[in-house]
């Protein structure tokens, strides 16, 4: 399965059992988060080192309700704690990861 070209294509993959193995870790983590599998998303992202993974990690802790831990990861990602909804932030993250992956 190819990397989705946009958010709509990404969302259409959510009917599958697993994300494509060839996808980057950030995209797989967001896929599990979109499926409501917080633990799998966190397990993937927790070991990643790049700035985008820190932002996704922050988002996951924000979703969990752990504001202190989320704020820590937002600082590592050099991002402010967002004022938008979790869904809006997740869509933003997916769009950015897709854009970076398809370059």
């Amino acid at each position: 399965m190819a990397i989705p070209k946009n958010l709509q294509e990404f969302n259409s993959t959510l009917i599958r059992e697993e994300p494509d193995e060839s996808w980057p870790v950030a995209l797989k983590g967001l896929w599990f988060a979109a499926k409501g599998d917080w633990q799998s998303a966190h397990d993937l992202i927790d070991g990643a080192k790049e700035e985008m993974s820190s932002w996704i990690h922050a988002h996951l802790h924000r979703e969990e309700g752990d504001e202190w831990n989320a704020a820590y990861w937002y600082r590592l990602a050099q991002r402010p704690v967002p004022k938008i909804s979790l869904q809006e932030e997740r869509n933003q993250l997916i769009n950015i990861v897709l854009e970076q992956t398809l370059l």
Side-chain angles (χ1 to χ4, degrees):
M1 169 175 52
I3 293 176
K5 293 180 180 73
N6 55 47
L7 181 60
Q8 183 179 357
E9 282 188 20
F10 175 86
N11 287 335
S12 73
T13 70
L14 296 175
I15 62 169
R16 300 172 188 239
E17 292 293 319
E18 296 285 330
D20 191 272
E21 191 60 36
S22 68
W23 289 5
V25 170
L27 193 58
K28 288 182 203 176
L30 289 165
W31 187 89
F32 280 112
K35 293 270 287 185
D37 187 348
W38 187 93
Q39 192 61 57
S40 292
H42 187 265
D43 289 349
L44 275 171
I45 294 301
D46 194 33
K49 303 287 186 222
E50 64 275 348
E51 194 172 293
M52 178 55 69
S53 293
S54 292
W55 186 5
I56 296 168
H57 202 150
H59 170 78
L60 291 171
H61 283 292
R62 181 175 168 232
E63 182 177 342
E64 179 189 32
D66 186 349
E67 294 177 23
W68 181 88
N69 205 355
Y72 167 80
W73 286 101
Y74 281 115
R75 280 192 304 278
L76 284 181
Q78 300 180 4
R79 296 277 179 179
V81 176
K83 305 283 188 237
I84 58 177
S85 74
L86 287 165
Q87 186 63 52
E88 289 172 306
E89 183 186 22
R90 183 177 303 132
N91 288 345
Q92 180 182 29
L93 284 162
I94 292 166
N95 282 322
I96 291 169
V97 170
L98 289 175
E99 182 179 297
Q100 290 175 349
T101 303
L102 294 171
L103 290 178

